[in-house]
Amino acid sequence: MKPLLGTFYLLGMLVPWGLGYDRLLAQHIQEAVDKTETSWRSLETYSYDRYHPMEEIYQWMSQISEQYKEVVTQHFLGMTYETHPMYYLKISLPSNNPKKIVWMDCGIHAREWIAPAFCQWFVKEVLQNYKDNSKIRRFLKNLDFHVLPVLNIDGYIYTWTTDRLWRKSRSSHNNGTCFGTDLNRNFDASWCSIGASKNCEDLTFCGTGPMSEPETKAVSSFIESKKGDIVCFLTIHSYGQLILLPYGYTQNKPSNYKELLQVGQKAANALKAKHGTNYKVGTSVDILYASSGSSRDWAKDIGIPFSYTFELRDNGTYGFVLPETQIQATCEEAMAAVLSVLDDVYEKYWHSNSAAKRPSSTVLLSLLVSFTRLL
């Protein structure tokens, strides 16, 4: 993406065809907020094709961990700047095998409402289908899913109450004269070297230092403590229809770049097969813009082998204000892509083990045949 185009993207402007952020979009934003007022009492009436305010997501997490308590547990991760609790859901089947972890977070940028919607969709799909879907059940024998539905809770709440297009967190800086840090510029990955700002008024303000924000501290502390077991790190954003690999802060490629690209391209193909939506695959610096301090790059730098950013729909027609009518299709196709990534991760770590066991079974069978011939 050209630098100027990347600037428009960050500002939330409509990128294609030279359209600008105008009164028509402002009107659409207000209509979208007005339409998303929901009320529900149980999981049976929870709508996964609507956007939900934070208090409803909290309720949903509590209820889903109660209804599916044999496989789901809710865990405290930390507190936000405004002292809202951060919880993640752990989806895990009992197993005698040593388990690996897949991490997924959504909503690091407050205005990207489709991202938390997808995290909820992912959890719903896994829980409703793991008993009958052999692929999901196979994953859960060796993988635990850790899902953080909303990372930037303070900012997300602010988009519901005050400013729909707010991007950053809500931490106070310069004696309360400006607010918010771009949490996806705050990780310790070539922090604030490129595509980030040290001016707290800017959209890409990187914070006062790496991991300076309570939200990034909470996530990074947990990931660090589990990094030996985490095989895949997925962070969900919008918009742009992209599957981004490390890195954003350098033209250099990770050591397993070809593998990451191949897995990403296969995921994009699986996604396109669902509704015909095209996603580009590549490093951030190659197909979007240069940026430092991202969680994706940090996760790769600390040794997590598969690390991706998903930029969901669309390409700028609605931008961050994607209509609820597109939630289902967006989530269905993204689900296909994520399952494709997990398929490749699973094959890499467990197919070789199962393949190694097959010869011994074959040998045992041949010995049994030989033995019966002697009788």
Side-chain angles (χ1 to χ4, degrees):
M1 184 177 280
K2 298 287 193 295
L4 183 59
L5 202 58
T7 302
F8 287 161
Y9 177 97
L10 281 169
L11 290 172
M13 295 181 176
L14 299 180
V15 174
W17 325 121
L19 294 173
Y21 174 71
D22 56 17
R23 280 179 293 178
L24 185 64
L25 180 61
Q27 180 183 346
H28 177 76
I29 289 170
Q30 189 56 53
E31 289 172 357
V33 173
D34 291 343
K35 286 177 182 176
T36 47
E37 293 303 320
T38 63
S39 61
W40 64 285
R41 296 183 182 277
S42 69
L43 285 179
E44 285 70 29
T45 57
Y46 193 80
S47 298
Y48 291 91
D49 58 358
R50 301 200 71 175
Y51 297 120
H52 293 272
M54 195 62 222
E55 60 268 23
E56 291 188 6
I57 296 175
Y58 275 136
Q59 290 176 326
W60 170 81
M61 292 179 77
S62 178
Q63 290 194 19
I64 210 154
S65 56
E66 178 60 33
Q67 181 161 326
Y68 294 94
K69 55 188 171 187
E70 71 279 6
V71 285
V72 183
T73 47
Q74 181 175 273
H75 299 265
F76 178 75
L77 190 66
M79 300 292 282
T80 68
Y81 178 82
E82 293 181 339
T83 67
H84 294 108
M86 300 170 69
Y87 298 109
Y88 69 91
L89 295 175
K90 178 182 178 181
I91 305 175
S92 177
L93 278 178
S95 174
N96 294 324
N97 303 325
K99 307 284 281 290
K100 295 294 186 182
I101 295 169
V102 171
W103 170 269
M104 179 188 293
D105 66 66
C106 296
I108 195 170
H109 289 144
R111 61 194 178 186
E112 298 168 8
W113 284 12
I114 187 62
F118 176 70
C119 262
Q120 293 166 78
W121 185 279
F122 175 83
V123 169
K124 179 261 295 185
E125 285 294 301
V126 170
L127 295 180
Q128 289 182 358
N129 295 297
Y130 79 93
K131 290 182 179 177
D132 302 319
N133 186 307
S134 58
K135 178 180 283 191
I136 292 175
R137 192 162 185 87
R138 180 166 54 97
F139 292 158
L140 287 174
K141 284 182 179 177
N142 293 291
L143 289 167
D144 291 340
F145 299 141
H146 292 66
V147 182
L148 178 62
V150 185
L151 195 160
N152 181 7
I153 295 171
D154 297 349
Y156 185 72
I157 292 170
Y158 194 72
T159 62
W160 280 82
T161 62
T162 310
D163 181 355
R164 176 62 183 85
L165 289 178
W166 186 259
R167 169 184 170 94
K168 301 185 287 181
S169 68
R170 291 295 300 160
S171 53
S172 177
H173 301 279
N174 285 6
N175 297 317
T177 59
C178 59
F179 294 88
T181 294
D182 184 342
L183 299 177
N184 205 40
R185 299 293 183 276
N186 190 237
F187 283 80
D188 194 6
S190 192
W191 177 77
C192 222
S193 63
I194 190 170
S197 170
K198 291 187 177 179
N199 180 348
C200 67
E201 294 183 0
D202 290 342
L203 281 173
T204 57
F205 175 54
C206 58
T208 55
M211 313 299 193
S212 61
E213 306 305 298
E215 296 87 353
T216 51
K217 277 179 185 170
V219 171
S220 61
S221 296
F222 177 78
I223 300 294
E224 280 276 7
S225 73
K226 302 283 188 182
K227 67 181 179 181
D229 294 321
I230 300 174
V231 291
C232 185
F233 181 97
L234 302 173
T235 181
I236 313 300
H237 293 238
S238 75
Y239 60 92
Q241 296 175 197
L242 306 167
I243 299 175
L244 300 174
L245 339 171
Y247 290 104
Y249 64 80
T250 177
Q251 290 282 356
N252 296 335
K253 303 297 189 279
S255 58
N256 64 335
Y257 169 72
K258 286 185 179 178
E259 180 182 42
L260 287 169
L261 191 63
Q262 184 177 4
V263 169
Q265 193 56 62
K266 183 181 164 192
N269 292 339
L271 187 150
K272 184 176 181 178
K274 204 73 182 172
H275 296 295
T277 310
N278 288 305
Y279 272 51
K280 280 184 171 181
V281 182
T283 66
S284 179
V285 74
D286 284 345
I287 68 170
L288 184 56
Y289 48 60
S291 63
S292 54
S294 75
S295 63
R296 174 203 61 241
D297 289 356
W298 170 80
K300 188 73 183 83
D301 281 346
I302 66 167
I304 296 171
F306 292 92
S307 184
Y308 293 97
T309 302
F310 276 68
E311 296 280 0
L312 303 182
R313 289 192 191 185
D314 56 11
N315 273 323
T317 303
Y318 295 101
F320 301 113
V321 196
L322 192 72
E324 288 182 326
T325 53
Q326 292 195 40
I327 293 176
Q328 181 172 337
T330 302
C331 290
E332 285 174 347
E333 65 196 14
M335 188 75 190
V338 168
L339 289 178
S340 175
V341 171
L342 297 180
D343 210 23
D344 284 330
V345 170
Y346 187 90
E347 287 298 306
K348 180 179 176 70
Y349 288 95
W350 288 282
H351 177 70
S352 57
N353 290 341
S354 60
K357 291 174 185 174
R358 281 191 205 110
S360 60
S361 301
T362 307
V363 169
L364 184 63
L365 183 61
S366 63
L367 286 172
L368 186 60
V369 170
S370 301
F371 179 73
T372 54
R373 283 175 181 166
L374 291 173
L375 295 176

